[in-house]
Amino acid sequence: MPMKKKLNLAPAFFVGPHVILFVVFILLPTFYGIYASFTKWNLMNEPVWVGLDNYRTILFDSKSTFHTQFNNGLKNTFIFVLLSVPLLIIIPLLVAVALEHKKVKGKSLIQSIIYVPGLISISAGALIWLLLFNKQLGMAGNVFGSNVSWPAHQPYAWILVIIITIWGGVGGNMIIYRASISGVSQDLYESAEMDGAGTIRRFTSITLPSIRFPLIYTFVMTTAGAFNVFGQPLMMTDGGPRQSTHVLMMYIRQLAFGNGESIAGMASAMAVLLGLVILAISALQYYVMNRNAA
Amino acid sequence: MKKKWGLSVLTLVLMLSTVLAGCGKDNSKTITFWTPLTGDDGAYMDQLVKDYNATNPEIKVKHVITSDMYTKLSTVLNSGKGVPDLTIIHADRVPGYVKQGVLEPMTAVTAAQPEIKQENYLPQAWSTGTINGTQYTVPLDIHSNVMYYNKDLLKKYGAESFLDDNVVTIDEMLSLKGKLAEGDYVVNDALLGWVILAQIQNLGGDIQENGKPAVNTPVMKQAFEDVKKINDAGLMTPFGEDGYLMFQSGNVLFSTDGTWSSTAHAKVEGLNFGVTNVYSPTPDKFTNRSSSHLFTMMKNKDRSEEKVAGIGKFLEFIRENSIEWAKAGQIVASKQVNESPEFKNYMQSFFTSSEKEIKSLYIYTYEYYPYIAEAVDTYCGDIVRGNVDIDETLQTMQKFVEDKITEGTSGAAK
């Protein structure tokens, strides 16, 4: 056999643009971020290598401001994840299933109405919601007679953050669920109905198993997204009251791009730790759900 | 087949190089001018630049409003490419930038333009850019924390006399306790952190001691406690509510926001308002915590002498013609402008109406002021509202600032 190998460039041209964008905007920044987390760096001068100092301070130096910030930020981020993720899975799922009912009219209109908030920027949405919950001007005070300033008191501050998150986040998952539910064969439902299965039984035994992969996917992605929460608490509560809605991403941003000289090394270390948490939890979720589903 | 590939690769390369070349085109005939003016004031600066370019200067100015400018500045300074020829920075950035050695002295500009000198500007706006005898900046304005008052409400509650000596004292405010209709308040909590920083000056204190940050001090505690009295008497707009909006809706006597808000207040129909100094615990002293927009040249070895000359001409034009900037609500730094009869038409001319007023515009120049301001901003709301223990929080704030300083300097010093 002649050793004449044709160099086929076609695949490279298809993959190329994506690979270049991925390397430039994802891979290199990630590696540089990890490198920066081992340095002291003000974004201006050369980074100075300090080894594990940043991590030691964040994790173990209980007197340090950065330790307190990291703990408080991570705690609040976890609270946000625990409150928002279940709702961001269950509500879209219920809506998607409800929309499958034969008697529901104007399905695409309802779908659009639910989806549109996801396209509105968080800042614009937050301003509207803040006015709705404004004590003097808003609905919460005038219609429902609420007498508290929501952003300044717990648990209202969290409720506010969660409301805007649900409002903006339900649509995306709903579309995925609707698409996958419509792919489930109608024959299955019909024969189950003939065998006398009720609606709940049909949901748990046919719908859920059939959309297993979209469920795992949305669960993992929604969780990872929720860990990166930033805009909602920043706009709605500015981290208050008493920094009880101050999430980790807000501390990270403040350190790196806040007032005065940047503390980018410490911020990077916090970001890397957050990334590790997300990685571990996503892997765990994927493993548990995949095993149970198989 | 192979030839065809070669051809398309060639085309691609050519296309790319044309596109990329566009990025690096010859900029020697334009002064690239970055500003962080993302709000309404950006449009006023656009107008000033347009007016200057209409005089047909040799080198025209291109105004680039840059959101997140300080982050972008660090990126371009780091790579040394794309550094703007001229930049507007805030006063509190100067000491840090000078220490990091990223500002070019204005020596060449001041040498070529004899009128660009200290005597022709508000003194503190000029001296903010003087470090160890070298001038690094030329001021555009002073923008300050001020106190607006609702004339109708002052009349309604018989409080017009508060304004007699230009100092509204905390005691005067407290005298309204129990006299206000429900839903009315004496003062809001807009820019509360700046109000606190002003009280430190009123009480004769400072935020540093021998270069070390002084946050956990008796003066700071006193400043917080004085302001807290207003809250404790129920006279401050409730925590978490939009006091700025409440002032505009006519429910608050005094609003401690910024010079630049006058344009927004003026748009509110039926709001009959004036401006005075931020309240003080003592009738003897008043302070309005201020900042300044400053022109500066970030270090860039590619900046030609012609460009520096062009920058000088532009800054001289601004010195003579920046009345446009008064429209943005700012206190123009150039004396030629702020002493002109036209400037008197603007509300903020109150702050240049006397020596004492000019002196009241206080700009902190301590190197670590940004960290201290951040600490004060983060915690002032909770302290004034009595949500936290004041002594404990002051300790936290002191540590907050010290930790940040440790991270910053040792990183830069090595």
Side-chain angles (χ1 to χ4, degrees):
Chain A
M1 225 162 79
M3 284 292 293
K4 196 180 164 196
K5 231 184 183 177
K6 237 187 180 175
L7 186 64
N8 191 356
L9 281 172
F13 271 82
F14 284 109
V15 183
H18 176 75
V19 170
I20 292 172
L21 290 179
F22 175 76
V23 169
V24 172
F25 291 108
I26 310 260
L27 201 64
L28 291 179
T30 307
F31 280 120
Y32 202 80
I34 294 172
Y35 162 68
S37 74
F38 295 104
T39 65
K40 268 183 187 176
W41 188 32
N42 61 8
L43 295 179
M44 296 268 196
N45 303 48
E46 283 298 304
V48 178
W49 185 265
V50 293
L52 289 167
D53 274 6
N54 292 339
Y55 291 96
R56 210 173 289 134
T57 311
I58 293 170
L59 293 174
F60 305 114
D61 182 0
S62 60
K63 283 203 192 91
S64 165
T65 305
F66 307 112
H67 175 81
T68 331
Q69 287 189 342
F70 180 76
N71 281 358
N72 187 45
L74 196 62
K75 185 189 88 195
N76 291 332
T77 306
F78 266 110
I79 293 177
F80 176 80
V81 170
L82 290 176
L83 291 175
S84 69
V85 172
L87 294 173
L88 281 175
I89 301 293
I90 293 169
I91 295 177
L93 189 58
L94 293 181
V95 175
V97 172
L99 281 178
E100 283 304 304
H101 198 280
K102 293 184 192 77
K103 284 184 185 158
V104 177
K105 296 222 168 62
K107 287 179 185 172
S108 29
L109 179 72
I110 298 175
Q111 175 172 315
S112 321
I113 291 175
I114 296 177
Y115 186 70
V116 160
L119 306 175
I120 296 173
S121 86
I122 288 181
S123 345
L127 289 177
I128 296 166
W129 279 102
L130 277 177
L131 282 176
L132 283 174
F133 282 91
N134 185 298
K135 203 168 98 181
Q136 272 90 29
L137 309 169
M139 183 181 74
N142 292 310
V143 181
F144 299 108
S146 145
N147 205 17
V148 282
S149 164
W150 285 54
H153 296 90
Q154 291 291 20
Y156 304 99
W158 271 127
I159 296 176
L160 210 52
V161 171
I162 297 298
I163 285 180
I164 186 178
T165 307
I166 305 284
W167 172 77
V170 160
N173 282 352
M174 180 199 64
I175 299 250
I176 295 178
Y177 295 146
R178 282 209 74 198
S180 36
I181 288 174
S182 71
V184 180
S185 162
Q186 283 301 316
D187 303 353
L188 288 172
Y189 289 108
E190 278 165 25
S191 52
E193 216 172 336
M194 267 186 261
D195 289 343
T199 42
I200 293 177
R201 186 65 205 263
R202 269 178 283 157
F203 174 69
T204 52
S205 298
I206 302 175
T207 313
L208 279 188
S210 308
I211 61 165
R212 193 175 81 219
F213 285 112
L215 267 183
I216 297 178
Y217 171 77
T218 50
F219 188 36
V220 172
M221 294 309 280
T222 309
T223 312
F227 271 106
N228 282 316
V229 60
F230 173 69
Q232 299 94 311
L234 181 79
M235 289 299 299
M236 302 300 278
T237 63
D238 200 13
R242 296 178 63 184
Q243 303 193 47
S244 60
T245 55
H246 210 299
V247 293
L248 191 51
M249 280 298 273
M250 288 166 71
Y251 285 118
I252 293 173
R253 205 201 124 83
Q254 249 174 24
L255 285 177
F257 310 115
N259 299 340
E261 205 178 345
S262 168
I263 306 175
M266 196 61 82
S268 299
M270 285 193 191
V272 168
L273 288 171
L274 178 64
L276 288 178
V277 170
I278 298 177
L279 203 67
I281 288 186
S282 304
L284 187 73
Q285 281 176 324
Y286 189 79
Y287 172 74
V288 170
M289 287 198 64
N290 224 2
R291 197 187 54 176
N292 287 352
Chain B
M1 195 63 191
K2 225 175 179 181
K3 251 184 193 166
K4 251 188 183 171
W5 271 121
L7 203 68
S8 35
V9 170
L10 194 71
T11 333
L12 194 73
V13 169
L14 281 175
M15 263 169 60
L16 268 177
S17 42
T18 335
V19 172
L20 291 176
C23 307
K25 79 168 192 294
D26 180 29
N27 274 329
S28 62
K29 285 285 162 232
T30 355
I31 292 166
T32 315
F33 171 38
W34 283 15
T35 71
L37 309 168
T38 48
D40 285 348
D41 41 6
Y44 294 110
M45 183 48 75
D46 271 340
Q47 188 58 45
L48 276 170
V49 170
K50 211 171 140 195
D51 292 347
Y52 174 70
N53 287 339
T55 65
N56 275 322
E58 221 168 292
I59 306 182
K60 291 198 173 178
V61 176
K62 189 175 144 210
H63 180 208
V64 187
I65 297 172
T66 316
S67 59
D68 255 343
M69 188 188 78
Y70 293 108
T71 310
K72 282 182 190 140
L73 277 180
S74 43
T75 318
V76 291
L77 285 169
N78 222 342
S79 68
K81 291 198 182 87
V83 180
D85 298 307
L86 184 64
T87 314
I88 281 188
I89 60 172
H90 290 95
D92 58 16
R93 295 277 174 172
V94 177
Y97 277 162
V98 170
K99 193 172 163 197
Q100 290 162 37
V102 295
L103 295 190
E104 194 74 52
M106 278 284 175
T107 324
V109 169
T110 47
Q113 301 289 340
E115 291 309 312
I116 298 184
K117 58 180 177 188
Q118 175 147 28
E119 297 82 69
N120 287 336
Y121 293 92
L122 292 176
Q124 64 272 53
W126 180 271
S127 63
T128 297
T130 324
I131 292 187
N132 297 330
T134 309
Q135 190 64 26
Y136 290 94
T137 63
V138 173
L140 169 66
D141 69 15
I142 287 185
H143 47 281
S144 177
N145 185 199
V146 298
M147 190 157 82
Y148 295 97
Y149 54 89
N150 182 322
K151 290 181 182 169
D152 300 333
L153 280 182
L154 283 186
K155 200 167 178 191
K156 179 180 170 189
Y157 292 114
E160 283 158 315
S161 61
F162 291 5
L163 302 173
D164 287 352
D165 51 354
N166 285 336
V167 199
V168 177
T169 62
I170 292 177
D171 285 337
E172 280 173 329
M173 288 178 149
L174 292 174
S175 72
L176 288 172
K177 189 180 176 183
K179 292 183 183 157
L180 298 185
E182 203 185 327
D184 281 359
Y185 297 93
V186 172
V187 69
N188 64 14
D189 60 357
L191 300 182
L192 189 62
W194 286 21
V195 173
I196 299 289
L197 287 163
Q199 306 312 341
I200 292 172
Q201 293 303 313
N202 289 338
L203 294 165
D206 200 1
I207 56 169
Q208 60 144 341
E209 259 174 44
N210 308 321
K212 296 241 158 53
V215 184
N216 186 12
T217 57
V219 170
M220 183 70 91
K221 189 176 174 183
Q222 187 66 43
F224 275 114
E225 281 176 340
D226 284 342
V227 176
K228 190 167 177 292
K229 280 184 204 158
I230 306 172
N231 174 70
D232 293 351
L235 301 175
M236 191 176 270
T237 54
F239 187 39
E241 286 185 44
D242 196 331
Y244 178 84
L245 221 57
M246 289 168 84
F247 176 75
Q248 292 192 334
S249 62
N251 294 105
V252 186
L253 274 76
F254 298 106
S255 173
T256 50
D257 50 296
T259 28
W260 56 91
S261 307
S262 61
T263 52
H265 291 331
K267 283 184 191 146
V268 180
E269 221 172 288
L271 182 67
N272 190 7
F273 69 102
V275 73
T276 186
N277 303 300
V278 170
Y279 58 83
S280 167
T282 147
D284 308 324
K285 193 166 183 202
F286 56 87
T287 307
N288 302 296
R289 184 270 173 211
S290 303
S291 180
S292 174
H293 285 126
L294 305 162
F295 292 100
T296 192
M297 299 187 287
M298 310 299 289
K299 278 242 164 88
N300 178 359
K301 55 181 178 343
D302 299 330
R303 189 186 290 114
S304 62
E305 271 173 40
E306 291 80 44
K307 267 195 189 178
V308 175
I311 289 170
K313 282 179 192 149
F314 176 59
L315 296 186
E316 175 62 11
F317 177 86
I318 294 283
R319 190 187 72 77
E320 292 178 321
N321 298 290
S322 47
I323 187 74
E324 180 74 21
W325 195 242
K327 288 185 192 162
Q330 317 285 27
I331 303 161
V332 178
S334 159
K335 281 194 178 167
Q336 183 168 336
V337 174
N338 70 38
E339 286 171 359
S340 72
E342 208 188 336
F343 188 69
K344 301 276 182 291
N345 299 330
Y346 295 92
M347 184 171 264
Q348 67 270 26
S349 63
F350 174 80
F351 298 98
T352 51
S353 59
S354 71
E355 274 308 306
K356 206 175 169 197
E357 282 300 335
I358 292 177
K359 258 199 182 140
S360 79
L361 303 169
Y362 189 85
I363 302 175
Y364 280 100
T365 51
Y366 175 48
E367 184 184 358
Y368 298 116
Y369 166 78
Y371 292 154
I372 293 180
E374 190 183 346
V376 171
D377 281 336
T378 309
Y379 294 98
C380 66
D382 285 321
I383 296 181
V384 168
R385 304 312 185 144
N387 294 344
V388 290
D389 180 75
I390 187 165
D391 292 309
E392 207 177 290
T393 310
L394 284 176
Q395 271 176 35
T396 312
M397 287 164 70
Q398 178 76 31
K399 179 84 173 122
F400 175 101
V401 175
E402 283 170 3
D403 281 351
K404 288 206 162 196
I405 293 175
T406 318
E407 278 308 309
T409 38
S410 37
K414 277 178 202 173

